[in-house]
Amino acid sequence: MANHRKKFIDLLDKAMAVADMMDHEDLLFSYKGILYPTTVCSPETFKALESFEARREDVILAGYPKSGTNWVGQILTNLVTTAAENNEDETNNLNDEELEVPYFEVGDPEKYQRMEKLSSRRVIFTHLLPHNLPESIFKNKAKILVLVRNPKDVATSFYHFSNGISILSSYETWDEFFTAFMTGKMPWGSYFDNICEWSKHVDDENVMTITYEELKENTALGVKKIAEFFGLLLTEEQLQTVAERSSFQAMKANAQKTHGEVGNILFRKGDVNDWKNLFNENQNQEMDKTFEERLARTKLGAKIKYEVYCKT
Ligand code: A3P
């Protein structure tokens, strides 16, 4: 995967260099009412994405930013690569040179034409809402893994990430960030809208959901379930290796190679409950109330186990 990662790191490095020169207010732009980072997304790319032709064997990972995308993304990529190596007949001619930056909505508008030429299973990550994805994903029944994480840890992670990376707007205080998070004025929009919208797809036959917290509790089991859902055939030993390679410590140690500079900021704590270091009592109450009103009765909201992970 060396060349593939290089493309990704180059893109991030370039975006950071451009962002360093930009005015704060230009860092985000709005498309169909949602904010996105100017240096890695563009209206042209969103327009081109509409006509992307998904395949049944595509492997899609969807979730709100800071839910553990890079973690589960690595698990998926390792599973797909190992399964392909096991099966010589399968589309295993993964060509490093051709693989694209895995984030669906990140890159130039021509990337979708290049992706058409990829014969291997395409592993695609996205933070987009389901109705902003190309229709062909649902029509062609590509399988989607929906990843969720409790809102308090997502907000905590997003705050530190926003202040650590020049591509995103930074915040002078946690209180300022909290207001932006609760009102959905965030890159990729509102956490609450994201969970609500994906909740409508929880029972689709081509959708599986997983939470950050359950994967943290039992990574080996999560890895096994993911492999089964996508029909990826690996031995027990291989599944174990994928799980071990995905540990926070292993990924952090490899961060420079896989993510360049961004790696130092991305692999921060990798834990559950760090929100307790930031949320004050009023903020706890406000989050509890909003969760109750917006998500508690949704199917995906129930999977978050708010009472277990978000109560003091
Ligand atoms: P923290 O900031 O709480 O540490 P994303 O990939 O969606 O941007 O999410 C980033 C969050 O996932 C960060 O959370 C990061 O530390 C955590 N993470 C990354 N790799 C992980 C791993 N292997 N195990 C557990 N958490 C991981």
Side-chain angles (χ1 to χ4, degrees):
M1 289 283 140
N3 288 325
H4 170 39
R5 292 315 304 194
K6 189 175 177 313
K7 257 191 209 172
F8 187 38
I9 293 168
D10 284 352
L11 180 134
L12 290 174
D13 284 351
K14 249 186 232 152
M16 297 235 272
V18 173
D20 283 339
M21 318 277 285
M22 285 171 71
D23 288 338
H24 186 263
E25 58 271 21
D26 296 330
L27 288 172
L28 302 178
F29 71 100
S30 176
Y31 186 78
K32 294 189 179 172
I34 295 181
L35 297 172
Y36 299 97
T38 312
T39 51
V40 293
C41 295
S42 73
E44 293 75 25
T45 299
F46 283 126
K47 193 82 203 121
L49 176 61
E50 286 172 20
S51 46
F52 175 81
E53 197 55 26
R55 300 178 196 146
R56 207 184 175 86
E57 64 274 20
D58 284 337
V59 171
I60 297 170
L61 170 65
Y64 192 74
K66 312 321 293 171
S67 299
T69 322
N70 287 276
W71 179 20
V72 182
Q74 168 169 312
I75 291 174
L76 277 174
T77 310
N78 280 346
L79 286 173
V80 166
T81 312
T82 312
E85 283 163 5
N86 285 348
N87 181 2
E88 292 195 355
D89 291 336
E90 216 198 323
T91 49
N92 71 344
N93 48 344
L94 286 168
N95 184 342
D96 245 11
E97 295 291 348
E98 290 171 5
L99 283 173
E100 285 291 340
V101 168
Y103 285 86
F104 218 6
E105 57 272 25
V106 168
D108 60 277
E110 286 78 37
K111 73 180 275 184
Y112 308 111
Q113 281 164 21
R114 296 192 298 273
M115 284 176 80
E116 273 176 30
K117 299 200 185 88
L118 297 176
S119 53
S120 55
R121 273 185 194 257
R122 299 176 298 189
V123 182
I124 298 166
F125 315 163
T126 185
H127 297 315
L128 296 177
L129 296 176
H131 58 257
N132 288 333
L133 286 171
E135 279 174 23
S136 65
I137 289 188
F138 297 95
K139 201 176 85 218
N140 300 343
K141 295 208 170 4
K143 286 194 175 163
I144 308 169
L145 178 64
V146 177
L147 170 67
V148 290
R149 186 181 190 188
N150 80 72
K152 291 186 178 178
D153 279 333
V154 165
T156 303
S157 180
F158 216 159
Y159 169 63
H160 290 294
F161 193 65
S162 302
N163 278 359
I165 181 170
S166 59
I167 295 169
L168 303 178
S169 304
S170 56
Y171 298 84
E172 290 209 349
T173 62
W174 156 248
D175 291 355
E176 193 194 324
F177 173 89
F178 181 77
T179 303
F181 186 84
M182 296 308 285
T183 50
K185 294 193 183 75
M186 301 297 301
W188 283 279
S190 151
Y191 171 90
F192 304 98
D193 290 349
N194 189 290
I195 304 290
C196 263
E197 291 304 315
W198 277 110
S199 202
K200 296 174 187 162
H201 293 273
V202 163
D203 293 328
D204 290 5
E205 58 172 313
N206 57 323
V207 169
M208 170 183 164
T209 55
I210 196 151
T211 67
Y212 180 98
E213 293 78 11
E214 71 174 291
L215 199 56
K216 188 84 194 164
E217 210 143 284
N218 192 339
T219 310
L221 181 64
V223 166
K224 203 171 180 175
K225 282 192 198 162
I226 295 171
E228 269 168 20
F229 171 68
F230 285 104
L232 298 164
L233 299 177
L234 281 81
T235 65
E236 287 295 327
E237 206 184 336
Q238 288 173 328
L239 289 170
Q240 187 59 34
T241 306
V242 171
E244 280 164 15
R245 277 198 209 143
S246 83
S247 76
F248 181 75
Q249 290 73 13
M251 287 188 71
K252 193 176 171 64
N254 213 20
Q256 196 70 31
K257 263 195 238 153
T258 56
H259 290 77
E261 282 304 299
V262 173
N264 298 330
I265 303 149
L266 182 76
F267 299 97
R268 194 183 61 90
K269 282 204 171 168
D271 237 328
V272 178
N273 270 343
D274 192 38
W275 60 267
K276 291 186 178 168
N277 293 317
L278 278 180
F279 277 68
N280 66 29
E281 195 38 44
N282 286 344
Q283 290 163 341
N284 274 322
Q285 280 178 17
E286 189 178 336
M287 181 63 90
D288 294 354
K289 186 165 175 283
T290 305
F291 188 87
E292 178 60 29
E293 286 169 3
R294 299 260 349 247
L295 300 180
R297 277 163 295 279
T298 64
K299 287 186 173 165
L300 210 45
K303 284 181 192 276
I304 287 170
K305 297 195 179 154
Y306 192 85
E307 294 296 316
V308 177
Y309 296 111
C310 291
K311 286 290 172 83
T312 41

